[in-house]
Amino acid sequence: MQIDRGSYPDAKTPWEDPSWRSAALAWLDRELAKLGVSDTQPRRVRLRPWSVIIRVSAERPVWFKATSPDSAFEPALAEALSRWAPGHVLTPYAVDCTRGWALLPDGGPLLRSQALDVRHWEEVLVQYADLQRALVPRVEDLVRLGVPDARVLPALFDSIVRTVGVDDRERLAAFRPRLVELCAELDAFGIAATLDHADLHDGQILVAGPGRYTFFDWGDANVGHPFCSLLVAIDRAAEQLGPDVVQRLEDAYVEPWTAEHPRSDLRRVAALARRLSPLTRASSWGRLFPGTAHIGTPERAAALLRLLD
């Protein structure tokens, strides 16, 4: 097997535990046998502080994923989403919700592998907004599945800010009254909470066909304000295509909500959510395997400090 540790050569993952590794590979082999899938090349193992992924080369690749304990909801979420919104997500071949394991099909090429223009990102954001709106009635179900609840952003702020250094903590504490004001303004628009992917970029989106996209990798997800998903997506699109696309993409994303809210209000909501969503990014940096939590500390602090920009 080929082992890829990326930029984290010292990260401790369950893969280092022989008993865990044997159990995971035995489960994977059993599930592959049920599917009639055989390896055609050596397996590739991708180790990160937040997941263990095994790529099984076959006629069509198959992917095993093990999540960190704080993202162990992901297999159950993936299974539920495949029932609630099958046109928007991958349908797992198998899941072990107790151990946080999933076996997933190949879903086509990544969005980042395509030659992109603004129209592709518009299509992505409209389809993603449709998915979010379809899940509004499922919010309590999502929470019961263990998806972190980020509906009260000041409380989330308070739980994270104590994990950063003293100097940063003091600066952030001074900002808290303004944070509360911004959160109150955002809540006043009355847009219902739903699923927020929280890391929606072109490496987490698959091209399922012409003009069709599939969303995957929900380990950073939370239940919260839908527009918080815009931060990562629009930052990535602006990096690729330039800052002039930002307003166009925001307008494409908010279009499904224009039947209920004026576009001018929705633009303000988008601006507020993008300002506040570093909170959910900071939160996700805490979802690492035990023994690796220190790895995410700089990223968590950087995300929080972005609130002050």
Side-chain angles (χ1 to χ4, degrees):
M1 280 184 278
Q2 302 173 29
I3 308 295
D4 168 19
R5 295 182 180 273
S7 302
Y8 304 94
D10 300 323
K12 301 298 182 185
T13 73
W15 186 258
E16 280 72 45
D17 179 349
S19 62
W20 185 96
R21 188 167 64 247
S22 295
L25 290 173
W27 183 84
L28 172 58
D29 289 339
R30 285 195 300 272
E31 297 302 331
L32 291 175
K34 292 177 188 177
L35 295 169
V37 172
S38 299
D39 299 75
T40 59
Q41 296 179 37
R43 294 174 181 177
R44 286 188 270 171
V45 181
R46 182 178 182 271
L47 304 179
R48 297 295 185 268
W50 51 86
S51 66
V52 173
I53 295 176
I54 303 172
R55 184 186 191 274
V56 177
S57 296
E59 185 176 348
R60 294 203 69 179
V62 179
W63 305 84
F64 166 88
K65 181 175 183 180
T67 63
S68 66
D70 287 337
S71 292
F73 61 85
E74 187 179 358
L77 174 61
E79 186 178 55
L81 291 178
S82 72
R83 290 184 277 107
W84 298 336
H88 293 289
V89 298
L90 293 175
T91 299
Y93 287 135
V95 297
D96 185 323
C97 297
T98 301
R99 294 187 284 193
W101 297 349
L103 188 63
L104 299 163
D106 179 68
L110 291 172
L111 182 65
R112 67 168 47 149
S113 70
Q114 311 295 294
L116 300 180
D117 61 30
V118 69
R119 292 170 298 169
H120 295 104
W121 275 109
E122 285 179 316
E123 291 170 345
V124 163
L125 290 174
V126 168
Q127 291 175 38
Y128 177 69
D130 289 341
L131 168 62
Q132 288 184 299
R133 287 169 62 83
L135 294 173
V136 168
R138 299 288 187 177
V139 160
E140 296 306 326
D141 295 324
L142 291 167
V143 173
R144 280 192 288 272
L145 287 174
V147 181
D149 190 342
R151 286 176 287 184
V152 183
L153 289 176
L156 182 63
F157 175 87
D158 292 341
S159 69
I160 302 171
V161 74
R162 58 176 173 262
T163 68
V164 301
V166 174
D167 291 343
D168 291 340
R169 200 181 315 157
E170 290 177 353
R171 294 174 62 197
L172 290 162
F175 174 73
R176 191 183 188 282
R178 179 59 179 151
L179 175 93
V180 172
E181 291 176 357
L182 293 170
C183 292
E185 183 182 357
L186 180 64
D187 291 343
F189 287 97
I191 293 177
T194 184
L195 186 64
D196 167 21
H197 186 287
D199 194 24
L200 187 68
H201 59 72
D202 53 350
Q204 315 276 38
I205 301 165
L206 298 165
V207 180
R212 296 191 300 110
Y213 303 94
T214 300
F215 307 100
F216 75 106
D217 199 345
W218 298 94
D220 290 337
N222 63 79
V223 174
H225 199 288
F227 288 28
C228 285
S229 292
L230 283 173
L231 176 69
V232 174
I234 287 188
D235 279 0
R236 183 61 57 89
E239 288 173 7
Q240 296 168 340
L241 304 172
D244 291 345
V245 303
V246 170
Q247 191 62 69
R248 180 170 169 179
L249 294 181
E250 281 189 357
D251 283 347
Y253 173 78
V254 305
E255 181 64 30
W257 280 272
T258 55
E260 300 126 26
H261 303 274
R263 188 178 296 276
S264 58
D265 285 358
L266 294 170
R267 284 177 170 171
R268 176 58 180 162
V269 172
L272 287 165
R274 287 178 64 204
R275 173 76 189 276
L276 293 166
S277 52
L279 270 174
T280 58
R281 297 294 304 129
S283 177
S284 68
W285 275 107
R287 301 180 201 171
L288 306 181
F289 287 121
T292 63
H294 64 284
I295 289 176
T297 299
E299 289 85 355
R300 185 164 55 248
L304 285 174
L305 291 172
R306 190 172 175 181
L307 293 166
L308 307 181
D309 292 344

